[in-house]
Amino acid sequence: MKLVMFDIDGTLTASNDLDDLAFVRTVHDIFGIKDISEDWTTYTHVTDACILREICEQQLGRSPNSEEIALFQKQLLQRLAQGAVREGGVFPIAGADALLEQLQASPDYQFCYAGGAWTASVQFKLQSAELPFADIPHAFADDHDSREGICQIALDRAQTTYQQIFTHVIYVGDGIWDVRASKNLGYPFIGIATGEDAQRLKAEGAPVVLPHYEDLQAFWDALVAIAP
């Protein structure tokens, strides 16, 4: 039995721009900080929890407290919802819904989620995109600061949920931080990106990069090729 582990933003939902804008504006709303780096690779870990902590440490000389984090998460969710209304909703990456249905029906594969956003934000985006969330094992920035830690927790929860020991774990993501985490964990990697983003993934060492999931056979072929 093999486990396919999905990042969320840019991988299953077309929400990178929406998420980035909401995050930056919420930093300003809560902390009054305007000038922050949006080059997420400059942060130790590309997760909401780590990025917020490092912004506060750099700009305020301290970490955010629990009350500030809770307020940040609440206001971030509100901004995401407002942005989604303006954009007409959060849309899935083309073919993602059909792929997840096939994985759920497969006798050889299961799937889980492991992304860098907070759970409430992820739940909103997946449900808005009409992708499954309930009963799918997952781990997000609430669980660990690092992508590697998030992936390990997601694996543990998937093995408990599905009552399986997975012989292979394949990580699917859209950022170079996803490629790096998969290397650190020893997971085969499939990239989802187009244009310059796809080239960056390939330069980072991604063996397979697909633009979306519309060609379902291409994704299945990639799975077989990297985790036979």
Side-chain angles (χ1 to χ4, degrees), residues 9-190:
D9 293 298
T11 301
L12 289 176
T13 60
S15 51
N16 274 335
D17 291 344
L18 173 67
D19 196 70
D20 291 352
L21 180 60
F23 191 94
V24 170
R25 288 184 172 175
T26 306
V27 169
H28 179 252
D29 291 343
I30 303 300
F31 299 99
I33 300 171
K34 294 182 179 180
D35 184 20
I36 69 170
S37 172
E38 293 184 53
D39 177 1
W40 308 123
T41 62
T42 62
Y43 298 92
T44 303
H45 302 293
V46 186
T47 65
D48 283 1
C50 182
I51 292 170
L52 179 62
R53 188 186 71 250
E54 292 191 354
I55 288 171
C56 289
E57 288 173 348
Q58 293 163 8
Q59 301 279 354
L60 305 177
R62 63 175 180 85
S63 297
N65 61 44
S66 58
E67 291 81 7
E68 289 169 330
I69 292 171
L71 179 60
F72 188 95
Q73 292 175 330
K74 180 179 178 180
Q75 193 147 329
L76 175 63
L77 186 58
Q78 291 173 346
R79 281 203 170 274
L80 287 171
Q82 292 165 359
V85 169
R86 288 194 302 270
E87 298 296 326
V90 177
F91 298 98
I93 299 296
D97 52 347
L99 174 63
L100 296 183
E101 287 180 6
Q102 288 190 359
L103 285 169
Q104 284 181 311
S106 170
D108 301 315
Y109 293 89
Q110 298 283 8
F111 73 90
C112 70
Y113 300 138
W118 278 302
T119 302
S121 299
V122 172
Q123 182 174 1
F124 166 76
K125 286 175 281 193
L126 287 172
Q127 291 179 338
S128 182
E130 298 184 350
L131 296 175
F133 180 79
D135 302 322
I136 305 300
H138 58 262
F140 301 115
D142 314 67
D143 300 299
H144 204 279
D145 271 10
S146 76
R147 183 81 48 161
E148 289 86 349
I150 288 168
C151 290
Q152 185 58 58
I153 293 169
L155 172 59
D156 293 343
R157 290 175 177 171
Q159 293 187 144
T160 299
T161 298
Y162 298 125
Q163 297 186 335
Q164 296 278 348
I165 299 299
F166 293 101
T167 57
H168 291 81
V169 180
I170 303 94
Y171 193 57
V172 185
D174 69 300
I176 61 174
W177 44 87
D178 298 320
V179 183
R180 292 169 183 172
S182 69
K183 286 180 181 177
N184 292 338
L185 292 163
Y187 296 167
F189 180 81
I190 296 176

